[in-house]
Amino acid sequence: MQHTDPVISIIIPVWNSERRIVQTLGAIAAQTVDRHRFEVIVVDNGSTDGTAEAVRAFDFVTLLSEPIPSSYRSRNRGLEVARGQYVLFTDGDCVPAPDWVEQALAIVERRPDAGLYAGDIVLFREGGARAVAACYEELTAFNQRYNAEHGYCVTANWLCRRDDLRAIGGFNSALLSGGDSECSRRMVAAGHKVIHVPEMIVGHPTRATLAELVRKRRRVVGGRWQMDGMAKAGVPKTLWRMAHEATGQARWMVRTKIGLRNKFGVLGITAALMLASQAEVLRLSAGRPPYRS
């Protein structure tokens, strides 16, 4: 029997996510297209729980290891061995729709002029999620239509040609956060157009608590500290910038059509995250390494 390379290589970095990676791979196992049209590469980024064992239960998955912390380094590790003409990225806590790969195959045939395809990310609440924290996440996270309009795509649902990504050097492996933004900019600079693909869907759980939102914010601030010139701007200007951004977000939230109780709650979360951002800036300015969550 003649073996041909898959059209798409799905690449998933994962770290300490043994429960959720099972959901991710179970959803990929149930895709509506023939398995030979895609391959699945999971890159374990130094997990200390049962993640690797959970992945090995899926016999169609290639499991790789990248011990140095960075989801972007892990994505590059998968990119090195990918055999597909296209690479399709998601995360180890996402749940792709049954026709996710089918829609990816359809869009590259329909719009071969595009270079980066930003699929939709639909948030869902898991059991035990706090209503206000989930509401904040639903208001602020993963707007891929907006991202694509601004030349950007997040790696929770990112499709592009393998060789185009290799040609620009892949992701910046030194980053712990923000690498999708940085890589998107380089792809656009190389002449690749970003388009939004609402039919290509993955689900993503909302952050369930304020503590989870704070961990995410600390990681994001670390990425911005490395990329956005915050370190050069100095601490006072960066702290003012954080406060200014939070104020703008709060004003926008006041105008949103959500219940009064949730509105007060998300405004409180906005204030808490501003303080967490400023504390993280002070920590980074003291020479501490970026936070990994």
Side-chain angles (χ1 to χ4, degrees):
M1 181 182 295
Q2 184 177 5
H3 294 277
T4 59
D5 286 340
V7 181
I8 287 177
S9 296
I10 299 172
I11 300 174
I12 309 169
V14 65
W15 177 58
N16 286 350
S17 189
E18 59 181 303
R19 177 179 65 85
R20 284 176 167 162
I21 193 63
V22 170
Q23 294 177 312
T24 304
L25 296 177
I28 292 173
Q31 291 296 299
T32 55
V33 299
D34 291 339
R35 191 74 56 78
H36 75 275
R37 303 199 70 187
F38 65 94
E39 67 174 345
V40 183
I41 302 167
V42 174
V43 186
D44 183 13
N45 197 201
S47 296
T48 56
D49 62 359
T51 293
E53 289 74 16
V55 173
R56 290 190 186 100
F58 294 86
D59 60 4
F60 60 88
V61 176
T62 298
L63 177 63
L64 305 177
S65 177
E66 173 49 66
I68 299 175
S70 170
S71 64
Y72 304 108
R73 183 180 291 272
S74 298
R75 292 182 180 97
N76 286 342
R77 178 74 180 94
L79 183 64
E80 289 174 0
V81 304
R83 297 182 294 123
Q85 181 183 356
Y86 290 85
V87 285
L88 179 57
F89 292 95
T90 192
D91 295 331
D93 55 357
C94 291
V95 182
D99 64 346
W100 181 51
V101 177
E102 181 180 346
Q103 294 294 344
L105 291 166
I107 192 62
V108 298
E109 290 185 6
R110 193 166 69 247
R111 291 291 308 275
D113 58 302
L116 180 52
Y117 305 84
D120 257 3
I121 302 159
V122 178
L123 291 167
F124 63 89
R125 299 187 186 190
E126 294 181 306
R130 302 291 179 87
V132 174
C135 182
Y136 176 89
E137 185 94 326
E138 289 160 357
L139 286 171
T140 61
F142 298 126
N143 187 338
Q144 284 279 68
R145 181 183 297 277
Y146 174 91
N147 294 342
E149 289 173 354
H150 291 79
Y152 172 65
C153 177
V154 297
T155 44
N157 200 356
W158 165 312
L159 173 68
C160 69
R161 292 176 186 83
R162 178 197 62 189
D163 291 345
D164 288 347
L165 186 54
R166 286 178 176 174
I168 66 163
F171 296 94
N172 184 337
S173 61
L175 298 176
L176 295 180
S177 181
D180 33 18
S181 171
E182 189 273 341
C183 190
S184 297
R185 287 198 292 265
R186 284 189 285 116
M187 289 204 72
V188 170
H192 302 297
K193 181 180 180 181
V194 185
I195 66 168
H196 176 228
V197 188
E199 305 87 1
M200 193 174 76
I201 298 169
V202 300
H204 190 293
T206 60
R207 269 73 181 182
T209 64
L210 176 59
E212 289 185 4
L213 290 169
V214 167
R215 286 195 290 271
K216 176 185 176 183
R217 178 58 61 88
R218 291 183 63 192
R219 174 173 53 81
V220 168
V221 169
R224 293 181 65 185
W225 181 261
Q226 290 177 291
M227 288 193 309
D228 290 356
M230 287 183 173
K232 292 181 180 179
V235 172
K237 287 185 178 180
T238 300
L239 294 179
W240 180 90
R241 179 177 175 181
M242 295 292 180
H244 180 72
E245 290 174 357
T247 301
Q249 187 179 75
R251 288 173 178 164
W252 170 75
M253 286 178 169
V254 167
R255 299 191 296 270
T256 58
K257 295 180 180 180
I258 58 175
L260 189 61
R261 182 175 179 180
N262 278 343
K263 189 167 291 189
F264 279 115
V266 297
L267 288 172
I269 287 175
T270 301
L273 293 179
M274 179 194 71
L275 294 174
S277 298
Q278 293 183 328
E280 189 65 13
V281 166
L282 294 174
R283 193 183 74 86
L284 291 165
S285 69
R288 302 294 297 277
Y291 176 73
R292 183 190 191 193
S293 64

